[in-house]
Amino acid sequence: MSALAPQALAEGALGAALLHIERADLAAARPLLQEAVADGVSTGSNASLFHGAPALEFVLGRAGRIDREVQAGVDRVVTARLAAARQRRLARHLPTLAEFDLIRGLTGLGALLLARRGPSPLLDDVLSHLVSLACPVEAKGRTLPGWWSPDSPTHEVDIPGGHSNNGMAHGIAGPLALLSLAARRGIRVDGQNNAITTFATWLEQFGSSYWITLDQLTADEPSQVPPLRPSWCYGDLGIARALQLAALAHGDPARGQKAEGIALVALADPDRLDRVNDASLCHGWAGILTVTTALAADSATPDRFTTSTQHARQQLAAGINELPKAGFLEGRAGAQLALDGSNTTGWTNALLIH
């Protein structure tokens, strides 16, 4: 484990501490928290909901603890990210995924601010920036969505012309979920309703793909999408939950039914489920169980999800001990949180499904 790994919510000591905190075992969580801060806590360019001071604040918050020094460090991180985003917009450059996504960017920081007790002026600023992504931009001689990114969605694939990332972890489903959750709590900024509609409409049209390239966007006919894994991070389940949250925020039962239908079709498709190859929270059965449970809880007909929920729980229980990692997103701690099924601390706020 590297010196920085303990600060990681995804894989490090902070992530492992969440399980003990949810189980109200602060004695077991304490040494993990001490390990996480032993070499300092990052407020630099790598700080995000899943690393450094923001990750530490989130985990402490699940234990009902508030550290004003940590919060002040987080506020500096958010302020710096917003300033960089404004400069990027003034320069008329396209945004990188790390500017706005859940794992590394402003959506994740917004999720943390939303989880704080009491209002945060910085949250309004974050929401306003995410709303600005709904405005089309002129780039490469074309009109593109404002969240169109020039970078590659993976380390292995280079996409000429950039892409629209659709996933919950790295794509526009994350901002949609955050804006919708904020609206449901009565937190609104100018343009928020229109942005929710813009993002949701896009995902209803293109969300069956993990991402959309320039060639796909300009094709005369929509491309045929092969069966894809229906995970939380990428795929139908995370997107369906974001769309359901948008429907709940706008009081739109028709959109809600459409969102639930997307999830139910994916959960009944053996070709897609065969692509789920581990028990993890990020892209495996733990994530499927957690998101499906959330979808059912907000559905007018929750019984439609019962069979899928039971199947996901069985698959998770059978595969949890095979996970090689110990942490939150891809490891046993996150999988066990899903299997336990409680959300007393609000740990699922890190996934933007509640």
Side-chain angles (χ1 to χ4, degrees):
M1 182 177 287
S2 69
L4 291 179
Q7 297 181 44
L9 180 57
E11 296 183 7
L14 282 177
L18 269 182
L19 174 61
H20 299 300
I21 292 171
E22 178 63 27
R23 290 175 166 179
D25 188 352
L26 297 185
R30 193 168 292 113
L32 290 167
L33 293 172
Q34 291 170 342
E35 178 187 349
V37 302
D39 296 319
V41 181
S42 175
T43 56
S45 60
N46 63 348
S48 68
L49 175 61
F50 283 83
H51 186 82
L56 178 60
E57 182 187 333
F58 180 80
V59 174
L60 290 175
R62 299 322 93 209
R65 304 291 196 268
I66 298 174
D67 186 308
R68 298 300 181 189
E69 185 176 351
V70 172
Q71 284 195 345
V74 169
D75 288 349
R76 291 194 296 272
V77 169
V78 176
T79 300
R81 297 296 172 78
L82 285 168
R86 292 189 195 101
Q87 287 297 112
R88 188 272 305 166
R89 288 178 59 199
L90 289 172
R92 297 184 179 276
H93 294 157
L94 293 171
T96 62
L97 299 179
E99 175 185 295
F100 67 84
D101 75 8
L102 170 58
I103 300 296
R104 298 166 294 173
L106 283 164
T107 294
L109 294 171
L112 172 61
L113 297 175
L114 186 62
R116 281 183 178 176
R117 298 175 183 174
S120 169
L122 282 174
L123 176 58
D124 287 353
D125 292 339
V126 170
L127 297 178
S128 293
H129 177 69
L130 296 177
V131 164
S132 75
L133 298 177
C135 298
V137 295
E138 296 295 326
K140 304 181 185 301
R142 303 178 185 276
T143 300
L144 297 170
W147 64 90
W148 195 269
S149 180
D151 50 347
S152 171
T154 73
H155 298 298
E156 297 82 17
V157 179
D158 184 31
I159 299 182
H163 75 293
S164 164
N165 198 292
N166 297 332
M168 182 71 91
H170 294 294
I172 200 59
L176 174 60
L178 177 62
L179 291 170
S180 301
L181 286 166
R184 292 187 74 192
R185 300 182 196 183
I187 302 171
R188 296 180 183 272
V189 298
D190 289 345
Q192 188 167 340
N193 285 339
N194 288 338
I196 289 172
T197 298
T198 297
F199 299 155
T201 300
W202 173 274
L203 288 172
E204 286 172 346
Q205 182 176 359
F206 295 110
S208 58
S209 297
Y210 287 172
W211 51 77
I212 293 294
T213 66
L214 196 58
D215 287 344
Q216 289 172 303
L217 186 64
T218 57
D220 292 333
E221 297 290 337
S223 58
Q224 295 298 313
V225 179
L228 298 171
R229 182 180 59 203
S231 56
W232 164 77
C233 58
Y234 276 108
D236 292 312
L237 265 293
I239 287 172
R241 179 57 174 167
L243 288 170
Q244 186 190 45
L245 290 171
L248 293 166
H250 279 180
D252 186 346
R255 173 159 276 155
Q257 285 292 314
K258 187 182 294 185
E260 292 176 29
I262 290 170
L264 289 165
V265 168
L267 290 167
D269 185 346
D271 287 340
R272 280 184 258 192
L273 295 181
D274 283 347
R275 285 162 170 75
V276 182
N277 55 19
D278 70 28
S280 72
L281 200 56
C282 183
H283 47 257
W285 290 109
I288 290 174
L289 174 61
T290 304
V291 177
T292 304
T293 300
L295 285 161
D298 282 322
S299 172
T301 52
D303 290 349
R304 295 191 298 165
F305 293 92
T306 300
T307 299
S308 295
T309 302
Q310 292 173 342
H311 178 64
R313 181 176 296 279
Q314 292 166 357
Q315 294 294 320
L316 170 56
I320 187 171
N321 292 327
E322 297 177 12
L323 289 170
K325 297 180 180 179
F328 177 63
L329 272 187
E330 296 185 347
R332 295 183 297 278
Q336 190 62 58
L337 279 164
L339 192 59
D340 286 356
S342 65
N343 190 33
T344 305
T345 63
W347 65 269
T348 60
N349 293 350
L351 306 178
L352 274 183
I353 57 175
H354 289 106

